[in-house]
Amino acid sequence: MTTSLQTHVRTHEIALRFRRGELESVLQPGTHWKRVGRVDYVVDRLQVRFEDPLLEVLVEVPELRAELEVVELGDAERALLWRAGRLFAVLGPGLHAFWKSAGPFEVERFDTATLRFQHRALQRVLTHADAPKFLRAVRTHEHEVILVYRDGELVDRFGPGTYVHWLESGHVTWKSIDLRTQTLDVAGQEIMTADKVTLRINLVVRFRIADALRAVGAEVDASQGLYRAAQLALREAVGGRTLDALLGAKNEVSAELEAALASRAERLGLELEAVGLRDVILPGDMKELLNQVIEAQKQSEANLIRRREETAAARSQANTAKLLAENPVLLRMKELEQLGQVLAGARATLVLGQGDLVGQLRALGAGGDVGS
């Protein structure tokens, strides 16, 4: 006598019937009878992904495979699985199976040999829960350039925006290059002038990175290369001048330094914007001596100006005296003008006769009578 058992498969389910460990048949929704020795494994198709330890074997059964959307990816492959227009999963290497009844599905395959991931719906992909397992995003600003290296080899370069690359596709690193203007302070350089005066000079160099690849490849740190070049150029420019020549031609020295550094900066992938001497610091004793020299120069200039003014005043007085001697009327007017200044604010009434006005005034001042 044969014993049969009943298996009921609901609408959203499917049953896998096994006999002696082998898949015998796939049961659609409904009621099914089974004989002893068969095992029915009911699967909920509302769970969109079908997972089983024997998946690789099961998908080879045509009856089951017809029910599944199977995606098989190699080690260098990744995929996006879209379900009804929405991103359902980001898939890595291996075998993946999904119930077709939960679809429709669309599969996008990618090769990680192309390190950079670009997609029309990039932000939607990055916000998916699976994205961090397979993708990494680098966001850059307007003033940055990013150089991307895989296994030590430069493979990409990109500017402002979002750069996304596949994980587990080699050792990936990147370097951010700041394109904004930078300032180098070449400070405290002690340099001897041509007349053996030791100075401390501070130099300011403003520059920006013009060629990111050259700046990275020329030296470990391009700005340090420019710093050393500025030190050497400054020593050469100052060492060939006397102290007076240096102090009197700071702008000329700055222009000379800029011209000397321009070619070096270009080889480093940099662009100079300005070079200038900020401070020229003298030793204490030299500063005191220089102040004395300046004070003596200013005193000499003041004495020269004073003598010129005295000479001009004497020359003016001589010209006035000659003019008065040659013109009695003008002399008389000058006398009256002087008298008005003497009697300014006085209430006395004076009646002066003709003759020598100066003599009359002297007699008045002595207390005598003024003759008519």
Side-chain angles (χ1 to χ4, degrees):
M1 181 177 177
T2 303
T3 304
S4 298
L5 300 176
Q6 189 181 67
T7 298
H8 180 71
V9 181
R10 292 178 292 180
T11 304
H12 59 277
E13 296 175 333
I14 197 169
L16 307 179
R17 177 163 290 179
F18 291 86
R19 181 186 179 192
R20 298 176 181 176
E22 299 288 342
L23 181 62
E24 182 181 67
S25 61
V26 177
L27 307 180
Q28 298 296 332
T31 300
H32 304 270
W33 295 91
K34 65 177 179 179
R35 297 178 180 179
V36 175
R38 274 72 172 175
V39 177
D40 292 342
Y41 173 45
V42 179
V43 180
D44 186 354
R45 287 187 292 185
L46 293 180
Q47 300 295 325
V48 179
R49 185 190 292 263
F50 174 55
E51 297 179 289
D52 192 278
L54 300 176
L55 181 62
E56 293 185 3
V57 176
L58 295 178
V59 296
E60 297 300 324
V61 178
E63 192 176 359
L64 179 58
R65 192 177 185 97
E67 299 289 334
L68 296 171
E69 181 74 39
V70 179
V71 182
E72 188 171 3
L73 301 175
D75 291 340
E77 288 183 302
R78 306 291 185 271
L80 301 181
L81 181 69
W82 298 84
R83 178 192 179 197
R86 296 184 178 181
L87 182 60
F88 181 75
V90 182
L91 306 177
L95 187 64
H96 310 273
F98 305 87
W99 296 111
K100 286 183 178 180
S101 59
F105 293 104
E106 178 187 351
V107 180
E108 285 186 275
R109 294 174 178 268
F110 300 89
D111 188 344
T112 59
T114 303
L115 179 64
R116 187 172 185 177
F117 171 74
Q118 295 175 291
H119 198 274
R120 65 186 183 280
L122 182 62
Q123 292 304 318
R124 291 169 61 188
V125 174
L126 292 178
T127 56
H128 193 275
D130 292 340
K133 304 174 186 176
F134 304 102
L135 295 168
R136 186 167 192 176
V138 182
R139 291 177 173 84
T140 60
H141 301 90
E142 291 293 332
H143 59 269
E144 286 182 302
V145 167
I146 299 293
L147 303 180
V148 183
Y149 298 84
R150 178 163 58 184
D151 299 328
E153 180 182 356
L154 180 66
V155 294
D156 207 349
R157 166 186 174 173
F158 68 98
T162 301
Y163 179 90
V164 183
H165 67 86
W166 294 106
L167 295 174
E168 299 180 1
S169 57
H171 180 61
V172 179
T173 58
W174 61 85
K175 185 176 182 66
S176 173
I177 308 298
D178 194 331
L179 301 181
R180 291 177 294 184
T181 297
Q182 301 179 51
T183 301
L184 277 180
D185 288 319
V186 185
Q189 297 297 299
E190 292 193 355
I191 306 174
M192 183 176 293
T193 63
D195 50 353
K196 308 304 181 184
V197 177
T198 301
L199 308 173
R200 290 182 60 199
I201 298 181
N202 297 330
L203 180 68
V204 176
V205 180
R206 292 173 59 84
F207 69 96
R208 56 178 294 273
I209 295 178
D211 188 330
L213 291 178
R214 187 181 298 178
V216 172
E219 292 195 18
V220 175
D221 188 338
S223 62
Q224 286 302 309
L226 183 62
Y227 184 95
R228 289 188 291 271
Q231 287 180 312
L232 297 175
L234 181 60
R235 290 184 179 278
E236 184 174 349
V238 173
R241 287 177 168 84
T242 62
L243 176 60
D244 290 342
L246 176 64
L247 296 178
K250 293 176 66 175
N251 291 337
E252 179 183 335
V253 174
S254 297
E256 180 181 323
L257 290 172
E258 185 169 356
L261 291 175
S263 59
R264 176 58 175 162
E266 184 179 0
R267 291 195 298 272
L268 292 171
L270 310 177
E271 178 184 340
L272 286 182
E273 293 189 353
V275 178
L277 295 179
R278 186 175 65 183
D279 300 305
V280 178
I281 304 172
L282 297 170
D285 53 348
M286 181 57 67
K287 187 184 299 184
E288 182 179 352
L289 180 60
L290 185 59
N291 288 336
Q292 292 176 1
V293 171
I294 294 174
E295 183 179 357
Q297 289 176 344
K298 297 301 180 182
Q299 185 65 43
S300 176
E301 292 175 1
N303 291 337
L304 180 60
I305 293 173
R306 189 180 301 109
R307 287 194 295 271
R308 287 176 180 173
E309 291 178 349
E310 291 173 353
T311 301
R315 186 180 295 110
S316 177
Q317 291 176 354
N319 291 336
T320 301
K322 181 179 179 181
L323 184 61
L324 294 176
E326 294 176 351
N327 194 334
V329 176
L330 184 59
L331 176 61
R332 183 74 174 175
M333 292 177 64
K334 189 69 175 175
E335 291 173 349
L336 291 173
E337 181 183 343
Q338 293 296 325
L339 178 61
Q341 293 178 1
V342 171
L343 298 178
R347 296 182 179 180
T349 301
L350 300 177
V351 179
L352 302 175
Q354 304 204 359
D356 184 7
L357 180 61
V358 175
Q360 296 180 54
L361 292 174
R362 286 176 180 172
L364 181 61
D369 295 331
V370 180
S372 59

